[in-house]
Amino acid sequence: MPGFELFSDLERKEVNDVLDNGVLMRYGFDGMRKGHWKAKELESELAKTFDVNHVQLLSSGTAAVSVALASAGVGAGDEVIMPTFTFVASFEAIMMLGAIPVLVDIDDTLTLDPKAVEAAITSKTKAVMVVQMCGSMGNMDALRQVCDNHNLIFVEDACQAIGGTYKGKPLGTIADVGCFSFDFVKTITCGEGGAVVTNNKEYYINADNYSDHGHDHEGSDRGAETHPFLGYNFRISELNAAVGLAQVRRLPDFIAIQKRNYTIIRNTLTKVAGVSFRTVPNGGEESYAFLNFFLPDLDAARNVSKAFKDNGIDVCFHYYDNNWHYIRKWDHLKDLKSLFPISKEVKEGLEYLQTKTFEQSDGYIARNISCLIKLSWTEDEVKQRAEKMADCINKVCN
Ligand SMILES: Cc1ncc(COP(=O)(O)O)c(C=O)c1O
């Protein structure tokens, strides 16, 4: 991450095509477009790249998660199981549908512990959402088994893991429905954007219609289209899609750079006493967007995090003390601060957040540091950075 570091004439050419014809809307205006359909082209390119039957582009990754759930029929009062370590978007996307986020512990993969998922299932559970955090993945076979045993929809938020694979399949395409984000800091960026990917035709048609006011997209007269059901506007613009189109064609190059940079740092940190790494399930290959490692305890992680900052080592996150990605600091969600009234059912469904503790998750996140891997670093810069990181850890821990 992130693709914006390497913007080039390729992105500029795609954007200029859109500006030249003046059509920023992804649907309609056929006569004016001079044959340019950037959103449609990006959907085809993503389907080809990720070997998946259907792709629906959307305005953001958050929209993608919400639309994915809606397209599978998740709604009012349904419980959706999600991990304690993710981005607030997971919680928000479930809430948007009037459904209830049920947070459960993570394991050493840094996402859903299948045993914790099993223990959280109730008669209201409708879906299980694995979040492939920081470029890696959960125990997909075990999670699939739990979903199949209980007839639950399996959703995959691969917003942070584009380019990773599990048993040869791209992350995002393994569960029943998957999600990508193309926001500004992702490996492939559209500025803002997201996608739902699925091999389920019904989910795809639902996502396509729902994300554009319920339009059925039949024929070429937008005003004459019918609306099979209620929808909203989660459309992406042609300008955003144009940037993504150039970027997705560069994905193999971006992943190769991430892998080189990740490997240099990992090989250096492997030699440092006290450092261990997250578990990547057998058959999995990370996207190398982040390097995640564990230190012996919370104090060590806090002190190393401070030493990194003091020594100019940026983009390394200790999520235990960070407001974005871990339940511990999500006070606005625990206290259900909302601009508008929340349904009684959801309020009651979330009461558990006032008292429930997540010791197992704390055990991992307290000791974890996640280092973002940049594309713009030169090999020499990465080597120097890795040595500095090793020095900091050695000074604090050894
Ligand atoms: C795991 C995860 N899910 C969803 C999202 C939401 O994506 P967006 O920022 O495109 O709305 C993010 C964004 O960082 C994310 O990290």
Side-chain angles (χ1 to χ4, degrees):
M1 303 227 275
F4 75 78
E5 293 177 278
L6 301 184
F7 279 157
S8 68
D9 284 348
L10 297 168
E11 285 78 6
R12 279 184 272 280
K13 191 238 164 239
E14 297 298 333
V15 171
N16 281 336
D17 283 350
V18 178
L19 293 176
D20 285 347
N21 70 36
V23 181
L24 308 191
M25 164 88 165
R26 68 157 299 178
Y27 297 113
F29 303 93
D30 300 23
M32 291 169 60
R33 318 185 72 98
K34 300 187 189 143
H36 292 144
W37 298 89
K38 298 302 178 188
K40 278 191 210 289
E41 273 184 70
L42 177 52
E43 283 167 351
S44 302
E45 197 74 35
L46 287 164
K48 200 171 70 189
T49 306
F50 295 105
D51 193 23
V52 66
N53 289 346
H54 308 291
V55 177
Q56 179 64 39
L57 273 177
L58 298 156
S59 50
S60 70
T62 309
V65 178
S66 206
V67 171
L69 291 166
S71 72
V74 174
D78 292 332
E79 291 179 355
V80 179
I81 294 177
M82 57 168 270
T84 51
F85 177 48
T86 174
F87 182 52
V88 279
S90 311
F91 195 99
E92 295 161 357
I94 297 167
M95 292 288 284
M96 262 203 269
L97 300 170
I100 302 166
V102 175
L103 275 71
V104 305
D105 270 322
I106 57 167
D107 60 20
D108 56 1
T109 63
L110 294 181
T111 189
L112 290 178
D113 175 355
K115 288 195 286 307
V117 171
E118 183 95 48
I121 292 170
T122 72
S123 58
K124 288 182 167 184
T125 309
K126 187 87 173 257
V128 172
M129 179 158 68
V130 65
V131 183
Q132 316 288 35
M133 280 300 278
C134 302
S136 188
M137 70 216 77
N139 279 304
M140 297 302 283
D141 290 345
L143 292 167
R144 163 58 79 193
Q145 194 62 58
V146 174
C147 290
D148 286 353
N149 290 349
H150 296 271
N151 201 19
L152 301 173
I153 300 154
F154 190 20
V155 183
E156 194 181 350
D157 176 343
C159 286
Q160 290 198 8
I162 198 160
T165 57
Y166 178 68
K167 297 191 175 168
K169 282 187 109 187
L171 298 183
T173 69
I174 298 158
D176 300 320
V177 57
C179 311
F180 291 132
S181 163
F182 306 117
D183 76 21
F184 187 56
V185 295
K186 296 299 186 286
T187 305
I188 295 298
T189 185
C190 290
E192 296 286 358
V196 166
V197 297
T198 183
N199 287 314
N200 182 316
K201 191 164 181 198
E202 187 190 343
Y203 290 178
Y204 161 66
I205 291 171
N206 288 346
D208 169 277
N209 294 186
Y210 178 73
S211 58
D212 184 24
H213 306 291
H215 273 266
D216 65 6
H217 298 139
E218 296 288 339
S220 57
D221 178 357
R222 198 164 159 78
E225 288 176 18
T226 61
H227 304 82
F229 47 73
L230 169 77
Y232 298 96
N233 176 3
F234 297 110
R235 291 187 307 257
I236 193 165
S237 88
E238 285 286 277
L239 277 177
N240 295 88
V243 178
L245 185 57
Q247 290 250 298
V248 77
R249 293 177 177 142
R250 305 175 68 194
L251 182 64
D253 294 342
F254 289 179
I255 298 293
I257 299 170
Q258 281 183 176
K259 183 172 182 177
R260 180 201 68 189
N261 292 350
Y262 169 110
T263 306
I264 291 170
I265 301 178
R266 181 163 176 146
N267 287 347
T268 305
L269 297 195
T270 302
K271 296 178 208 138
V272 179
V275 172
S276 59
F277 298 93
R278 86 185 297 170
T279 298
V280 177
N282 275 341
E285 180 165 10
E286 296 182 68
S287 75
Y288 307 103
F290 288 83
L291 175 66
N292 283 272
F293 60 90
F294 298 114
L295 291 162
D297 54 36
L298 173 59
D299 280 348
R302 278 191 169 137
N303 292 334
V304 166
S305 181
K306 182 171 180 315
F308 281 176
K309 281 192 188 111
D310 293 347
N311 286 278
I313 300 165
D314 63 350
V315 295
C316 291
F317 307 104
H318 182 218
Y319 287 126
Y320 191 76
D321 287 335
N322 172 301
N323 291 346
W324 286 356
H325 287 291
Y326 186 51
I327 176 67
R328 195 173 90 87
K329 303 273 258 176
W330 292 353
D331 291 338
H332 70 300
L333 301 180
K334 290 187 214 166
D335 296 341
L336 215 50
K337 296 260 171 66
S338 168
L339 283 179
F340 48 82
I342 302 268
S343 80
K344 190 165 163 283
E345 199 175 11
V346 173
K347 266 192 192 154
E348 284 172 6
L350 288 176
E351 272 168 12
Y352 76 95
L353 284 177
Q354 294 296 324
T355 49
K356 192 164 165 55
T357 53
F358 296 98
E359 281 91 2
Q360 184 174 312
S361 302
D362 285 346
Y364 293 112
I365 298 299
R367 297 185 297 115
N368 172 253
I369 293 189
S370 293
C371 296
L372 188 135
I373 302 295
K374 285 197 189 172
L375 295 172
S376 57
W377 292 332
T378 65
E379 205 169 325
D380 278 349
E381 280 168 349
V382 188
K383 283 182 184 156
Q384 282 169 25
R385 183 183 178 85
E387 290 305 329
K388 257 194 193 178
M389 288 170 77
D391 263 9
C392 289
I393 301 171
N394 269 323
K395 277 190 187 123
V396 169
C397 300
N398 300 312

Coordinates of all heavy atoms in Angstrom, one line a residue, residues 1 45-46 48-51 132-137 156-174 179-182 186-189 197 247-259 262 280 283-290 375:
M1 N 0.9 -1.2 0.0 CA 0.0 0.0 0.0 C 0.9 1.2 0.0 O 2.0 1.2 0.6 CB -0.9 0.0 1.3 CG -1.7 -1.2 1.4 SD -3.4 -0.9 1.9 CE -3.3 -0.7 3.6
E45 N -12.1 -5.8 -15.8 CA -10.7 -6.1 -15.5 C -10.5 -6.8 -14.1 O -9.7 -7.7 -14.0 CB -10.0 -4.7 -15.5 CG -8.5 -4.7 -15.6 CD -7.9 -5.1 -17.0 OE1 -8.5 -4.7 -18.0 OE2 -6.9 -5.8 -17.0
L46 N -11.3 -6.3 -13.2 CA -11.3 -6.9 -11.9 C -11.7 -8.4 -11.9 O -11.1 -9.3 -11.3 CB -12.1 -6.1 -10.9 CG -11.6 -4.8 -10.4 CD1 -12.7 -3.9 -9.8 CD2 -10.4 -5.0 -9.4
K48 N -11.5 -10.4 -14.4 CA -10.5 -11.2 -15.1 C -9.3 -11.4 -14.1 O -8.8 -12.5 -13.9 CB -10.0 -10.4 -16.3 CG -9.3 -11.3 -17.3 CD -9.1 -10.5 -18.6 CE -8.0 -9.4 -18.4 NZ -7.8 -8.4 -19.4
T49 N -8.9 -10.3 -13.5 CA -7.7 -10.4 -12.6 C -8.0 -11.4 -11.4 O -7.1 -12.1 -11.0 CB -7.4 -9.0 -12.0 OG1 -7.2 -8.1 -13.1 CG2 -6.2 -9.0 -11.1
F50 N -9.2 -11.3 -10.9 CA -9.5 -12.1 -9.7 C -10.3 -13.4 -10.0 O -10.7 -14.1 -9.0 CB -10.2 -11.3 -8.6 CG -9.3 -10.2 -8.1 CD1 -9.4 -8.9 -8.5 CD2 -8.2 -10.5 -7.4 CE1 -8.6 -7.9 -8.2 CE2 -7.3 -9.5 -7.0 CZ -7.5 -8.2 -7.4
D51 N -10.5 -13.7 -11.3 CA -11.1 -14.9 -11.7 C -12.4 -15.1 -10.9 O -12.7 -16.2 -10.3 CB -10.1 -16.1 -11.4 CG -10.6 -17.4 -12.1 OD1 -11.4 -17.2 -13.1 OD2 -10.2 -18.5 -11.7
Q132 N -10.0 -9.6 6.4 CA -8.6 -10.1 6.0 C -7.7 -8.9 6.3 O -7.3 -8.1 5.4 CB -8.5 -10.5 4.6 CG -9.7 -11.4 4.1 CD -9.6 -12.8 4.6 OE1 -9.2 -13.0 5.8 NE2 -10.1 -13.8 3.9
M133 N -7.4 -8.7 7.6 CA -6.7 -7.5 8.1 C -5.2 -7.5 7.6 O -4.5 -8.5 7.7 CB -6.7 -7.4 9.6 CG -8.0 -6.8 10.1 SD -8.4 -5.2 9.4 CE -7.5 -4.2 10.5
C134 N -4.8 -6.3 7.3 CA -3.3 -6.0 7.0 C -2.7 -7.0 6.1 O -1.6 -7.5 6.3 CB -2.6 -6.1 8.4 SG -3.1 -4.9 9.6
G135 N -3.4 -7.4 5.0 CA -2.8 -8.2 3.9 C -2.8 -9.7 4.1 O -2.4 -10.4 3.2
S136 N -3.3 -10.2 5.2 CA -3.4 -11.6 5.4 C -4.8 -12.1 5.6 O -5.7 -11.4 5.3 CB -2.4 -12.1 6.5 OG -2.3 -13.5 6.5
M137 N -5.0 -13.3 6.2 CA -6.3 -13.9 6.1 C -6.5 -14.8 7.3 O -5.6 -15.2 8.1 CB -6.4 -14.8 4.9 CG -5.5 -16.0 5.0 SD -4.7 -16.5 3.4 CE -3.4 -15.3 3.2
E156 N -16.6 -11.8 3.1 CA -15.1 -11.6 3.2 C -14.8 -10.2 2.9 O -15.0 -9.7 1.8 CB -14.5 -12.5 2.1 CG -13.0 -12.7 2.3 CD -12.5 -13.6 1.1 OE1 -13.3 -14.2 0.4 OE2 -11.3 -13.7 1.0
D157 N -14.4 -9.5 3.9 CA -13.9 -8.1 3.8 C -12.4 -8.2 3.5 O -11.6 -8.4 4.4 CB -14.2 -7.3 5.0 CG -13.7 -5.9 4.9 OD1 -12.8 -5.6 4.1 OD2 -14.1 -5.0 5.8
A158 N -12.1 -8.0 2.2 CA -10.7 -8.1 1.8 C -10.2 -6.7 1.4 O -9.3 -6.5 0.6 CB -10.5 -9.0 0.6
C159 N -10.8 -5.7 2.1 CA -10.5 -4.3 1.8 C -9.0 -4.0 1.9 O -8.4 -3.1 1.2 CB -11.3 -3.3 2.6 SG -13.0 -3.2 2.1
Q160 N -8.3 -4.7 2.9 CA -6.9 -4.4 3.1 C -6.0 -5.5 2.6 O -4.8 -5.5 2.9 CB -6.7 -4.4 4.7 CG -7.2 -3.2 5.3 CD -6.6 -3.0 6.7 OE1 -5.6 -3.6 7.1 NE2 -7.2 -2.0 7.5
A161 N -6.6 -6.4 1.8 CA -5.8 -7.6 1.4 C -5.8 -7.9 -0.1 O -5.5 -9.0 -0.5 CB -6.2 -8.8 2.2
I162 N -6.0 -6.9 -0.9 CA -6.1 -7.1 -2.4 C -4.8 -7.7 -2.8 O -3.7 -7.2 -2.5 CB -6.5 -5.9 -3.1 CG1 -7.0 -6.2 -4.5 CG2 -5.4 -4.8 -3.2 CD1 -7.9 -5.1 -5.2
G163 N -4.8 -8.8 -3.6 CA -3.5 -9.4 -4.1 C -3.1 -10.5 -3.3 O -2.2 -11.3 -3.7
G164 N -3.6 -10.8 -2.1 CA -3.3 -11.9 -1.3 C -4.1 -13.2 -1.8 O -5.1 -13.0 -2.5
T165 N -3.6 -14.4 -1.5 CA -4.3 -15.6 -2.0 C -4.4 -16.6 -0.9 O -3.6 -16.6 0.1 CB -3.6 -16.2 -3.2 OG1 -2.2 -16.5 -2.8 CG2 -3.5 -15.3 -4.4
Y166 N -5.4 -17.5 -1.0 CA -5.5 -18.7 -0.1 C -5.7 -19.9 -1.0 O -6.7 -19.9 -1.8 CB -6.6 -18.5 0.9 CG -6.9 -19.6 1.8 CD1 -5.9 -19.9 2.8 CD2 -8.0 -20.4 1.7 CE1 -6.1 -21.0 3.6 CE2 -8.2 -21.5 2.5 CZ -7.3 -21.8 3.5 OH -7.5 -22.8 4.4
K167 N -4.8 -20.9 -0.9 CA -4.9 -22.1 -1.7 C -5.1 -21.7 -3.2 O -5.9 -22.3 -3.9 CB -5.9 -23.0 -1.2 CG -5.6 -23.5 0.2 CD -6.5 -24.7 0.7 CE -6.1 -25.2 2.0 NZ -7.0 -26.1 2.7
G168 N -4.4 -20.7 -3.6 CA -4.4 -20.3 -5.0 C -5.5 -19.4 -5.4 O -5.6 -18.9 -6.5
K169 N -6.5 -19.2 -4.5 CA -7.6 -18.3 -4.9 C -7.4 -16.9 -4.3 O -7.0 -16.8 -3.1 CB -8.9 -18.9 -4.3 CG -9.5 -20.0 -5.0 CD -10.8 -20.4 -4.5 CE -11.9 -20.1 -5.4 NZ -13.2 -20.3 -4.9
P170 N -7.8 -15.9 -5.1 CA -7.6 -14.5 -4.6 C -8.4 -14.2 -3.3 O -9.6 -14.6 -3.3 CB -8.0 -13.6 -5.7 CG -8.0 -14.5 -6.9 CD -8.2 -15.9 -6.4
L171 N -7.9 -13.6 -2.3 CA -8.7 -13.1 -1.2 C -9.8 -12.2 -1.7 O -9.5 -11.4 -2.6 CB -7.8 -12.4 -0.2 CG -6.7 -13.2 0.5 CD1 -5.9 -12.4 1.5 CD2 -7.2 -14.5 1.1
G172 N -10.9 -12.3 -1.1 CA -12.1 -11.6 -1.6 C -13.0 -12.5 -2.4 O -14.2 -12.2 -2.5
T173 N -12.5 -13.6 -3.0 CA -13.3 -14.4 -3.8 C -13.6 -15.8 -3.2 O -14.2 -16.6 -3.9 CB -12.6 -14.6 -5.2 OG1 -11.5 -15.5 -5.0 CG2 -12.2 -13.3 -5.9
I174 N -13.2 -15.9 -1.9 CA -13.3 -17.3 -1.4 C -14.7 -17.5 -0.7 O -15.3 -18.6 -0.7 CB -12.1 -17.5 -0.4 CG1 -10.8 -17.4 -1.2 CG2 -12.3 -18.8 0.3 CD1 -9.6 -17.1 -0.4
C179 N -15.5 -8.2 -0.5 CA -15.5 -6.7 -0.7 C -14.0 -6.2 -0.8 O -13.1 -6.7 -0.1 CB -16.0 -6.0 0.6 SG -17.6 -6.7 1.1
F180 N -13.8 -5.2 -1.7 CA -12.6 -4.5 -1.8 C -12.8 -3.0 -1.5 O -13.9 -2.5 -1.8 CB -12.0 -4.6 -3.2 CG -11.5 -6.0 -3.6 CD1 -11.9 -6.6 -4.8 CD2 -10.7 -6.7 -2.7 CE1 -11.4 -7.8 -5.2 CE2 -10.2 -8.0 -3.1 CZ -10.6 -8.6 -4.3
S181 N -11.7 -2.4 -1.1 CA -11.8 -0.9 -1.0 C -10.7 -0.4 -1.9 O -9.6 -0.9 -2.0 CB -11.4 -0.4 0.4 OG -11.1 0.9 0.5
F182 N -11.0 0.7 -2.6 CA -10.0 1.4 -3.4 C -9.8 2.9 -2.9 O -9.7 3.8 -3.7 CB -10.4 1.4 -4.9 CG -10.7 0.0 -5.4 CD1 -12.0 -0.3 -5.9 CD2 -9.7 -0.9 -5.4 CE1 -12.2 -1.6 -6.3 CE2 -10.0 -2.2 -5.9 CZ -11.2 -2.5 -6.4
K186 N -5.1 2.6 -0.3 CA -5.1 1.2 -0.6 C -4.1 0.9 -1.7 O -3.7 1.8 -2.4 CB -6.5 0.7 -0.9 CG -7.5 0.8 0.2 CD -7.1 -0.1 1.4 CE -8.1 -0.1 2.5 NZ -8.2 1.2 3.3
T187 N -3.7 -0.4 -1.8 CA -2.7 -0.8 -2.8 C -3.1 -0.4 -4.2 O -2.3 0.1 -5.0 CB -2.5 -2.4 -2.8 OG1 -2.2 -2.8 -1.4 CG2 -1.4 -2.8 -3.7
I188 N -4.4 -0.6 -4.5 CA -5.0 -0.1 -5.8 C -6.0 1.0 -5.4 O -6.9 0.7 -4.6 CB -5.8 -1.2 -6.5 CG1 -4.9 -2.3 -6.9 CG2 -6.6 -0.6 -7.7 CD1 -3.9 -1.9 -7.9
T189 N -5.8 2.2 -5.8 CA -6.7 3.3 -5.4 C -7.5 3.9 -6.6 O -7.0 3.9 -7.7 CB -5.9 4.4 -4.7 OG1 -6.9 5.4 -4.2 CG2 -4.9 5.2 -5.6
V197 N -17.5 -8.5 -4.9 CA -17.2 -9.5 -5.9 C -17.8 -10.8 -5.5 O -17.9 -11.1 -4.3 CB -15.6 -9.7 -6.0 CG1 -15.0 -8.5 -6.6 CG2 -15.0 -10.1 -4.7
Q247 N -4.7 1.6 -12.4 CA -4.0 1.0 -11.2 C -4.1 -0.6 -11.2 O -3.1 -1.2 -10.9 CB -4.6 1.5 -9.9 CG -4.2 3.0 -9.7 CD -3.2 3.2 -8.6 OE1 -3.5 2.9 -7.4 NE2 -2.0 3.7 -8.9
V248 N -5.3 -1.1 -11.5 CA -5.4 -2.6 -11.4 C -4.5 -3.3 -12.4 O -4.0 -4.4 -12.1 CB -6.9 -3.0 -11.5 CG1 -7.4 -3.0 -13.0 CG2 -7.1 -4.4 -10.9
R249 N -4.3 -2.7 -13.5 CA -3.4 -3.3 -14.5 C -1.9 -3.3 -14.0 O -1.1 -4.1 -14.5 CB -3.4 -2.5 -15.8 CG -4.8 -2.6 -16.5 CD -4.9 -1.8 -17.7 NE -6.1 -1.9 -18.4 CZ -6.8 -1.0 -19.0 NH1 -6.3 0.3 -19.0 NH2 -8.0 -1.2 -19.6
R250 N -1.7 -2.5 -13.0 CA -0.3 -2.5 -12.4 C -0.2 -3.3 -11.1 O 0.9 -3.4 -10.5 CB 0.1 -1.0 -12.1 CG -0.1 -0.1 -13.3 CD 0.2 1.3 -13.0 NE 1.5 1.6 -12.7 CZ 2.0 2.7 -12.1 NH1 1.1 3.7 -11.8 NH2 3.2 2.9 -11.8
L251 N -1.3 -4.0 -10.8 CA -1.3 -4.7 -9.5 C -0.1 -5.7 -9.4 O 0.5 -5.7 -8.3 CB -2.7 -5.4 -9.3 CG -2.8 -6.2 -7.9 CD1 -2.7 -5.3 -6.7 CD2 -4.1 -7.0 -7.9
P252 N 0.2 -6.6 -10.4 CA 1.3 -7.5 -10.2 C 2.6 -6.8 -9.9 O 3.4 -7.3 -9.0 CB 1.3 -8.2 -11.6 CG 0.0 -8.0 -12.2 CD -0.5 -6.7 -11.7
D253 N 2.8 -5.6 -10.5 CA 4.1 -4.9 -10.2 C 4.0 -4.4 -8.8 O 5.1 -4.4 -8.1 CB 4.2 -3.7 -11.2 CG 4.4 -4.2 -12.6 OD1 4.8 -5.3 -12.8 OD2 4.2 -3.3 -13.5
F254 N 2.9 -3.9 -8.4 CA 2.8 -3.3 -7.0 C 3.0 -4.4 -6.0 O 3.7 -4.2 -5.0 CB 1.4 -2.7 -6.7 CG 1.2 -1.4 -7.5 CD1 0.0 -0.7 -7.4 CD2 2.1 -0.8 -8.3 CE1 -0.3 0.5 -8.0 CE2 1.9 0.4 -9.0 CZ 0.7 1.0 -8.9
I255 N 2.4 -5.6 -6.2 CA 2.6 -6.7 -5.2 C 4.0 -7.1 -5.2 O 4.6 -7.4 -4.1 CB 1.7 -7.9 -5.6 CG1 0.2 -7.5 -5.6 CG2 1.9 -9.1 -4.7 CD1 -0.4 -7.1 -4.2
A256 N 4.7 -7.2 -6.3 CA 6.1 -7.6 -6.4 C 7.0 -6.6 -5.6 O 7.9 -7.0 -4.8 CB 6.6 -7.6 -7.8
I257 N 6.7 -5.3 -5.6 CA 7.5 -4.3 -4.9 C 7.2 -4.5 -3.4 O 8.1 -4.5 -2.5 CB 7.1 -2.9 -5.3 CG1 7.5 -2.6 -6.8 CG2 7.9 -1.9 -4.4 CD1 7.0 -1.3 -7.3
Q258 N 5.9 -4.7 -3.1 CA 5.5 -4.9 -1.6 C 6.2 -6.1 -1.1 O 6.8 -6.1 0.0 CB 4.0 -5.1 -1.5 CG 3.2 -3.8 -1.5 CD 1.7 -3.9 -1.3 OE1 1.0 -2.9 -1.3 NE2 1.2 -5.1 -1.2
K259 N 6.3 -7.2 -1.9 CA 6.9 -8.4 -1.4 C 8.4 -8.2 -1.2 O 8.9 -8.7 -0.2 CB 6.7 -9.5 -2.5 CG 7.2 -10.9 -2.0 CD 6.8 -12.0 -3.0 CE 7.4 -13.3 -2.5 NZ 7.0 -14.4 -3.3
Y262 N 8.7 -6.0 2.0 CA 8.3 -6.8 3.2 C 9.4 -7.8 3.6 O 9.7 -8.0 4.7 CB 7.0 -7.5 2.8 CG 6.5 -8.6 3.7 CD1 5.3 -8.4 4.5 CD2 7.1 -9.8 3.8 CE1 4.8 -9.4 5.3 CE2 6.6 -10.8 4.6 CZ 5.4 -10.6 5.4 OH 4.9 -11.6 6.2
V280 N 0.1 -17.1 9.2 CA -0.6 -17.1 7.9 C -1.0 -18.6 7.7 O -0.2 -19.5 7.8 CB 0.4 -16.7 6.8 CG1 -0.3 -16.8 5.4 CG2 0.9 -15.3 7.1
G283 N -1.2 -22.7 3.1 CA -1.8 -22.4 1.7 C -2.1 -21.0 1.5 O -2.6 -20.6 0.4
G284 N -1.8 -20.1 2.4 CA -2.1 -18.7 2.3 C -0.8 -17.9 1.8 O 0.3 -18.3 2.3
E285 N -1.0 -16.9 1.0 CA 0.1 -16.0 0.7 C -0.4 -14.6 0.9 O -1.4 -14.2 0.3 CB 0.6 -16.2 -0.7 CG 1.7 -15.2 -1.0 CD 2.6 -15.5 -2.2 OE1 2.2 -16.3 -3.0 OE2 3.6 -14.8 -2.4
E286 N 0.3 -13.8 1.8 CA -0.1 -12.5 2.1 C 0.0 -11.6 0.8 O 0.7 -11.9 -0.1 CB 0.8 -11.9 3.2 CG 0.7 -12.6 4.5 CD 1.6 -11.9 5.5 OE1 1.3 -10.8 5.9 OE2 2.6 -12.6 5.9
S287 N -0.6 -10.4 0.9 CA -0.5 -9.4 -0.2 C 0.8 -8.6 0.1 O 1.2 -7.8 -0.7 CB -1.7 -8.5 -0.2 OG -1.7 -7.6 0.9
Y288 N 1.4 -8.7 1.3 CA 2.6 -8.0 1.7 C 2.3 -6.5 1.8 O 3.3 -5.7 1.8 CB 3.8 -8.3 0.7 CG 4.0 -9.7 0.5 CD1 3.6 -10.4 -0.7 CD2 4.6 -10.5 1.4 CE1 3.8 -11.7 -0.9 CE2 4.9 -11.9 1.2 CZ 4.4 -12.5 0.1 OH 4.7 -13.8 -0.1
A289 N 1.1 -6.1 2.1 CA 0.7 -4.7 2.3 C 1.2 -4.2 3.6 O 1.4 -3.0 3.8 CB -0.8 -4.5 2.2
F290 N 1.3 -5.2 4.6 CA 1.8 -4.8 6.0 C 2.7 -6.0 6.4 O 2.5 -7.1 6.1 CB 0.7 -4.8 7.0 CG -0.2 -3.6 6.9 CD1 -1.3 -3.6 6.0 CD2 -0.1 -2.5 7.7 CE1 -2.2 -2.5 5.9 CE2 -1.0 -1.4 7.6 CZ -2.0 -1.4 6.7
L375 N 5.3 1.5 -1.4 CA 5.7 1.1 -2.7 C 6.9 2.0 -3.2 O 7.7 1.6 -4.0 CB 4.6 1.3 -3.8 CG 3.4 0.4 -3.6 CD1 2.3 0.8 -4.5 CD2 3.8 -1.1 -3.9

